[in-house]
Amino acid sequence: MSYMLLPLRYRNALKLLACLCLVGAYPVAHGQATAVASTFYTCLRDSYQSDGSVLDSLMSGYEATLVELELLEGTAPADYRGLLQRIASGQRIEAAMPFRFRDRLRALPVDSTAWRACQLALERFRSDNPEAMLTRFLDRRDVLVTEGIRADLQASSLLDILGEAAFEHPFYRLQTYYLIDLQAGSAALPDLLPETVSGQAARYASRGANILRLYLNERTQTIVEDQLVSPERLAERVHRHAREFGREALYVVELELDVKYRQYVYLKDRIARAVNEVRDEYSRRVFGKTLTEASEAEKLLLENRFPIRVVLP
């Protein structure tokens, strides 16, 4: 029987089988990891009706619009990396675009079973190849999206992973389209979280749970919740509080009558060091760099997300 005469579900199954076979055969260890992205893009593309031609049409039309508006210099990999660099620099691209890519993408008819199977194959690859460029890209992108990082800082973070060769593949070119949408604060991106604490943390904050109360006695001992804590234990408590409440975190220090001001300053410095450790941890996870390596814009975001607010009652 001719391939085109097979029912659609059987054709999709054959494509997925081919995808899985190709994934296993790709010579990741031989320096061709970027080619794996093409395999998965083909799998995802073919999950759309008309054998993916509707997705091809959407992408080529969007690309042509970017070129026509001189937002994209050409269609070469270097041009796409240049577009990502422009987004990273803070240049607004979305204002000139007549439509949002993801709105059009979500309107395309897709075989949800085939799509999920592609995602499953992708997750299997990520699990088996943690050091592959595709895995590192997706891990970084997932964190950036979950944390609600704005478009320019996402682009800057992804530039550390994606070299020019990566943009030979539509899989990575798509990311620039999503970032252009994100610049507009698109309502079509409901999976992006706002840069605030979680709803649960906000509810706790309304009841004062965002306040970590510390008591400093004249012997320079710190008491938290009626317990004497060591410097190491204090750092752990501040770490946990900063992570849980983010920008809502507040540290209230009560002083015994004879405590000297320099002792209070010393305690503030210890709290500040602990919060900076949380900032550093977050920076490594989200931006792939230490706190000291972060750009001024990234440091500002970190300071806003994890403020050091130490006050007296």
Side-chain angles (χ1 to χ4, degrees), residues 77-95:
D79 298 319
Y80 268 94
R81 195 167 195 278
L83 177 60
L84 192 62
Q85 289 170 329
R86 291 170 69 180
I87 296 171
S89 72
Q91 181 175 342
R92 305 290 298 188
I93 306 295
E94 95 293 347

Side-chain angles (χ1 to χ4, degrees), residues 32 45 47 69-70 112-113 117 162 211 214 233 253 256 272:
Q32 298 182 17
R45 171 192 176 278
S47 67
L69 295 174
E70 299 182 348
S112 58
T113 301
L162 300 179
I211 299 173
L214 306 96
R233 180 61 178 160
V253 179
E256 199 170 74

Side-chain angles (χ1 to χ4, degrees), residues 41 65 80-81 88 101 108 113 138 140 145 177 190 249-250 267:
Y41 175 77
T65 302
Y80 268 94
R81 195 167 195 278
F101 180 82
L108 298 181
T113 301
L138 290 171
R140 180 73 59 82
V145 169
Y177 301 167
L250 180 64
L267 178 58

Side-chain angles (χ1 to χ4, degrees), residues 170-186:
F171 194 88
Y172 295 115
R173 296 186 179 204
L174 275 171
Q175 184 63 30
T176 61
Y177 301 167
Y178 296 152
L179 290 176
I180 291 170
D181 280 351
L182 180 57
Q183 281 187 328
S186 174

Side-chain angles (χ1 to χ4, degrees), residues 191 255-256 282 296:
D191 50 340
L255 306 177
E256 199 170 74
Y282 186 87
E296 291 304 312

Side-chain angles (χ1 to χ4, degrees), residues 242-302:
R243 292 191 197 100
E244 182 173 2
F245 293 100
R247 70 186 66 222
E248 302 298 326
L250 180 64
Y251 309 89
V252 177
V253 179
E254 297 183 47
L255 306 177
E256 199 170 74
L257 187 60
D258 294 329
V259 169
K260 294 180 173 56
Y261 182 73
R262 69 172 181 273
Q263 295 173 316
Y264 168 61
V265 172
Y266 178 67
L267 178 58
K268 284 182 65 176
D269 289 343
R270 283 161 55 192
I271 294 171
R273 284 198 299 272
V275 174
N276 271 324
E277 288 170 1
V278 174
R279 291 173 177 175
D280 183 75
E281 177 188 87
Y282 186 87
S283 181
R284 291 171 188 268
R285 186 166 63 91
V286 174
F287 301 122
K289 59 186 75 169
T290 65
L291 178 60
T292 55
E293 294 169 336
S295 67
E296 291 304 312
E298 290 164 343
K299 286 179 180 176
L300 181 60
L301 181 145
L302 293 166

